[in-house]
mmCIF file of all heavy atoms in Angstrom:
data_model
loop_
_atom_site.group_PDB
_atom_site.id
_atom_site.type_symbol
_atom_site.label_atom_id
_atom_site.label_comp_id
_atom_site.label_asym_id
_atom_site.label_seq_id
_atom_site.Cartn_x
_atom_site.Cartn_y
_atom_site.Cartn_z
ATOM 1 N N ARG X 110 362.696 55.219 -71.977
ATOM 2 C CA ARG X 110 363.057 55.763 -70.660
ATOM 3 C C ARG X 110 364.457 55.309 -70.256
ATOM 4 O O ARG X 110 365.262 56.083 -69.737
ATOM 5 C CB ARG X 110 362.023 55.315 -69.619
ATOM 6 C CG ARG X 110 362.261 55.920 -68.251
ATOM 7 C CD ARG X 110 361.237 55.430 -67.247
ATOM 8 N NE ARG X 110 359.880 55.663 -67.706
ATOM 9 C CZ ARG X 110 358.804 55.256 -67.041
ATOM 10 N NH1 ARG X 110 358.946 54.603 -65.915
ATOM 11 N NH2 ARG X 110 357.614 55.509 -67.502
ATOM 12 N N GLU X 111 364.758 54.041 -70.507
ATOM 13 C CA GLU X 111 366.069 53.515 -70.122
ATOM 14 C C GLU X 111 367.187 54.172 -70.937
ATOM 15 O O GLU X 111 368.235 54.543 -70.401
ATOM 16 C CB GLU X 111 366.101 51.997 -70.350
ATOM 17 C CG GLU X 111 365.070 51.246 -69.517
ATOM 18 C CD GLU X 111 365.001 49.782 -69.898
ATOM 19 O OE1 GLU X 111 365.882 49.335 -70.668
ATOM 20 O OE2 GLU X 111 364.087 49.086 -69.439
ATOM 21 N N CYS X 112 366.968 54.355 -72.239
ATOM 22 C CA CYS X 112 368.027 54.876 -73.110
ATOM 23 C C CYS X 112 368.288 56.353 -72.879
ATOM 24 O O CYS X 112 369.400 56.834 -73.066
ATOM 25 C CB CYS X 112 367.681 54.625 -74.568
ATOM 26 S SG CYS X 112 367.682 52.870 -74.992
ATOM 27 N N THR X 113 367.278 57.132 -72.498
ATOM 28 C CA THR X 113 367.479 58.551 -72.269
ATOM 29 C C THR X 113 367.961 58.837 -70.862
ATOM 30 O O THR X 113 368.458 59.922 -70.581
ATOM 31 C CB THR X 113 366.170 59.325 -72.524
ATOM 32 O OG1 THR X 113 365.128 58.738 -71.752
ATOM 33 C CG2 THR X 113 365.806 59.292 -73.997
ATOM 34 N N ALA X 114 367.834 57.866 -69.950
ATOM 35 C CA ALA X 114 368.355 57.985 -68.581
ATOM 36 C C ALA X 114 367.874 59.259 -67.905
ATOM 37 O O ALA X 114 368.649 59.991 -67.282
ATOM 38 C CB ALA X 114 369.879 57.932 -68.599
ATOM 39 N N LEU X 115 366.558 59.553 -68.033
ATOM 40 C CA LEU X 115 366.028 60.764 -67.426
ATOM 41 C C LEU X 115 365.506 60.463 -66.030
ATOM 42 O O LEU X 115 365.049 59.355 -65.726
ATOM 43 C CB LEU X 115 364.899 61.314 -68.292
ATOM 44 C CG LEU X 115 365.332 61.734 -69.708
ATOM 45 C CD1 LEU X 115 364.120 62.020 -70.557
ATOM 46 C CD2 LEU X 115 366.233 62.948 -69.628
ATOM 47 N N SER X 116 365.545 61.482 -65.194
ATOM 48 C CA SER X 116 365.134 61.298 -63.801
ATOM 49 C C SER X 116 363.625 61.357 -63.645
ATOM 50 O O SER X 116 363.080 60.877 -62.665
ATOM 51 C CB SER X 116 365.772 62.380 -62.928
ATOM 52 O OG SER X 116 365.377 63.667 -63.380
ATOM 53 N N PHE X 117 362.916 62.001 -64.590
ATOM 54 C CA PHE X 117 361.461 62.117 -64.476
ATOM 55 C C PHE X 117 360.821 61.824 -65.814
ATOM 56 O O PHE X 117 361.227 62.349 -66.838
ATOM 57 C CB PHE X 117 361.057 63.528 -64.040
ATOM 58 C CG PHE X 117 359.576 63.756 -64.086
ATOM 59 C CD1 PHE X 117 358.760 63.270 -63.099
ATOM 60 C CD2 PHE X 117 359.010 64.424 -65.161
ATOM 61 C CE1 PHE X 117 357.396 63.467 -63.152
ATOM 62 C CE2 PHE X 117 357.638 64.624 -65.222
ATOM 63 C CZ PHE X 117 356.833 64.148 -64.211
ATOM 64 N N SER X 118 359.844 60.985 -65.822
ATOM 65 C CA SER X 118 359.108 60.730 -67.058
ATOM 66 C C SER X 118 357.699 60.279 -66.727
ATOM 67 O O SER X 118 357.419 59.794 -65.641
ATOM 68 C CB SER X 118 359.813 59.675 -67.918
ATOM 69 O OG SER X 118 359.862 58.453 -67.240
ATOM 70 N N LEU X 119 356.820 60.453 -67.694
ATOM 71 C CA LEU X 119 355.436 60.029 -67.547
ATOM 72 C C LEU X 119 355.019 59.290 -68.805
ATOM 73 O O LEU X 119 354.966 59.877 -69.878
ATOM 74 C CB LEU X 119 354.513 61.241 -67.333
ATOM 75 C CG LEU X 119 353.007 60.941 -67.339
ATOM 76 C CD1 LEU X 119 352.657 59.995 -66.192
ATOM 77 C CD2 LEU X 119 352.204 62.224 -67.253
ATOM 78 N N LYS X 120 354.762 58.006 -68.661
ATOM 79 C CA LYS X 120 354.296 57.204 -69.791
ATOM 80 C C LYS X 120 352.825 56.876 -69.577
ATOM 81 O O LYS X 120 352.450 56.305 -68.558
ATOM 82 C CB LYS X 120 355.112 55.918 -69.921
ATOM 83 C CG LYS X 120 354.739 55.114 -71.164
ATOM 84 C CD LYS X 120 355.660 53.925 -71.355
ATOM 85 C CE LYS X 120 355.433 52.873 -70.298
ATOM 86 N NZ LYS X 120 356.201 51.639 -70.580
ATOM 87 N N LEU X 121 352.000 57.263 -70.531
ATOM 88 C CA LEU X 121 350.567 57.025 -70.426
ATOM 89 C C LEU X 121 350.213 55.719 -71.117
ATOM 90 O O LEU X 121 350.871 55.320 -72.073
ATOM 91 C CB LEU X 121 349.795 58.177 -71.070
ATOM 92 C CG LEU X 121 350.061 59.570 -70.478
ATOM 93 C CD1 LEU X 121 349.294 60.620 -71.273
ATOM 94 C CD2 LEU X 121 349.667 59.613 -69.017
ATOM 95 N N PRO X 122 349.151 55.041 -70.648
ATOM 96 C CA PRO X 122 348.704 53.835 -71.349
ATOM 97 C C PRO X 122 348.309 54.164 -72.782
ATOM 98 O O PRO X 122 347.939 55.292 -73.101
ATOM 99 C CB PRO X 122 347.482 53.384 -70.531
ATOM 100 C CG PRO X 122 347.626 54.049 -69.206
ATOM 101 C CD PRO X 122 348.337 55.336 -69.454
ATOM 102 N N ALA X 123 348.365 53.165 -73.638
ATOM 103 C CA ALA X 123 348.041 53.383 -75.048
ATOM 104 C C ALA X 123 346.556 53.647 -75.229
ATOM 105 O O ALA X 123 345.709 53.040 -74.574
ATOM 106 C CB ALA X 123 348.449 52.172 -75.865
ATOM 107 N N LEU X 124 346.256 54.575 -76.150
ATOM 108 C CA LEU X 124 344.900 54.747 -76.623
ATOM 109 C C LEU X 124 344.680 53.795 -77.793
ATOM 110 O O LEU X 124 345.516 53.718 -78.694
ATOM 111 C CB LEU X 124 344.671 56.179 -77.096
ATOM 112 C CG LEU X 124 344.703 57.279 -76.042
ATOM 113 C CD1 LEU X 124 344.610 58.651 -76.702
ATOM 114 C CD2 LEU X 124 343.567 57.104 -75.044
#
Side-chain angles (χ1 to χ4, degrees):
R110 184 181 306 176
E111 299 172 10
C112 293
T113 53
L115 297 170
S116 59
F117 172 78
S118 63
L119 173 62
K120 185 174 70 173
L121 301 176
L124 293 174

